[in-house]
Amino acid sequence: MQRVKLLILGGSGEAANLSRALANDPRFDATLSLAGVTEQPVSLPIPVRRGGFGGADGLARYLTDNCIGLVIDATHPFAVGMKANAIEACKRARVRLLALRRPPWCPSDDDRWIMVDDLDAAAEAIGNEPRRVFLTTGRKELAPFVRAPQHHYLIRSVDAPEPKSLPPNAALIVARGPFAEDQERKLLEAHRIELVVTKNSGGTGSVAKLEAAGKLGVPVIMVRRPAPPDAEGIETVATVDEALALLDAHHAGTSARLGV
Ligand code: NAP
């Protein structure tokens, strides 16, 4: 049996879970692509390539040169540039694209969310009065908070930020999710957090901080997702299980379309 070559565009928990699920599947030969921004990515049982392709042109060339039969875009919801590149490259290289789009979080009745469009607006929404802020927006996007130095920040990221990128009054936690709600509650209490600032990433890995904030009555400044590129006509699923089911269905019913 000829195996279908899959390219998983990663940078999300779903991409890692898909990689694990497909590792021993004899029907597929999957490679995971990472941008290369995380210093020590989780070790996964499929081949991993790292670094950009050089825009949509470079990705289209990669797909053709490597006989890729299907691309699964499992990039993070805020990685809109790569999503657009995937759509364009798959169109040009005539490769099928499956988009895994994790739903955003929605507030529950306990939650006090202040919705903003970007990180500049998030920093502004903290206000002028010094506050104690839990910040989980990513180590490379601290500049707006450096411009609001009156606050105390507890910053959590997967890799440590560059020391010179930090706001003056900051404590650092280097940790990778998933996190449990009781731990998050203890963390918010221990650091006397008055506000949480986060992006609406969705998913289960980092939702516990929102549950903890809701229970403690701590408000959350929530950065809305950027508008994703137009995905009309592209098969889209919300979970890894749905993606696997679709792969099964394609393989069983329409394997010819996948080039098997
Ligand atoms: P982006 O703005 O959409 O992409 C910037 C560039 O990074 C792309 O044009 C591409 O370079 C390269 N790239 C992105 N994802 C790639 C992948 N899976 N494989 C190879 N190259 C990739 O993305 P971003 O917001 O900077 O995020 C970078 C990566 O971190 C993404 O993979 C994303 O899934 C992950 N991530 C992002 C966030 C976030 O909040 N933005 C959070 C967690 C994880 P070329 O044009 O040269 O191909």
Side-chain angles (χ1 to χ4, degrees):
M1 176 175 60
Q2 197 189 343
R3 301 166 84 203
V4 180
K5 291 189 83 175
L6 302 185
L7 180 68
I8 302 169
L9 300 173
S12 66
E14 285 85 351
N17 287 339
L18 253 183
S19 302
R20 291 185 191 101
L22 292 171
N24 296 313
D25 191 323
R27 300 168 299 172
F28 303 110
D29 172 8
T31 297
L32 173 67
S33 175
L34 297 176
V37 287
T38 303
E39 280 163 17
Q40 287 189 324
V42 180
S43 164
L44 289 166
I46 65 169
V48 179
R49 67 162 298 288
R50 279 167 70 93
F53 294 94
D57 282 346
L59 177 55
R61 236 184 344 267
Y62 177 95
L63 299 179
T64 306
D65 291 351
N66 290 279
C67 301
I68 301 296
L70 175 71
V71 174
I72 304 178
D73 171 11
T75 51
H76 185 273
F78 279 72
V80 285
M82 194 62 200
K83 287 180 177 48
N85 287 355
I87 292 170
E88 182 59 31
C90 286
K91 205 187 293 172
R92 282 192 217 162
R94 295 173 183 275
V95 172
R96 188 180 196 106
L97 174 64
L98 170 61
L100 205 170
R101 302 269 188 266
R102 155 210 300 179
W105 293 313
C106 292
S108 69
D109 290 346
D110 287 343
D111 291 331
R112 293 163 60 201
W113 287 11
I114 301 149
M115 304 296 296
V116 294
D117 282 335
D118 55 33
L119 291 171
D120 286 323
E124 214 165 287
I126 303 171
N128 293 328
E129 289 299 308
R131 311 293 294 275
R132 298 184 63 82
V133 179
F134 183 34
L135 191 59
T136 64
T137 51
R139 69 181 168 124
K140 299 208 172 204
E141 298 183 285
L142 296 172
F145 305 99
V146 173
R147 294 192 287 272
Q150 69 274 32
H151 308 300
H152 178 276
Y153 296 98
L154 175 65
I155 298 172
R156 184 169 67 195
S157 57
V158 173
D159 291 314
E162 287 286 320
K164 62 178 186 301
S165 72
L166 289 170
N169 195 1
L172 199 60
I173 298 176
V174 177
R176 196 193 299 266
F179 303 101
E181 190 194 319
D182 60 332
Q183 289 171 327
E184 297 291 65
R185 195 163 29 79
K186 282 181 194 147
L187 186 73
L188 297 184
E189 286 175 328
H191 289 266
R192 291 177 286 114
I193 294 299
E194 299 170 284
L195 264 172
V196 174
V197 179
T198 193
K199 293 173 172 174
N200 197 337
S201 301
T204 54
S206 59
V207 72
K209 62 177 177 270
L210 301 178
E211 294 164 348
K215 293 211 171 119
L216 293 172
V218 172
V220 175
I221 298 177
M222 179 64 73
V223 181
R224 287 189 188 91
R225 292 182 174 189
D230 182 11
E232 207 187 319
I234 290 163
E235 264 173 315
T236 303
V237 292
T239 64
V240 169
D241 283 347
E242 285 174 28
L244 293 171
L246 212 72
L247 289 177
D248 281 345
H250 283 317
H251 202 273
T254 58
S255 53
R257 282 159 67 202
L258 287 180
V260 179

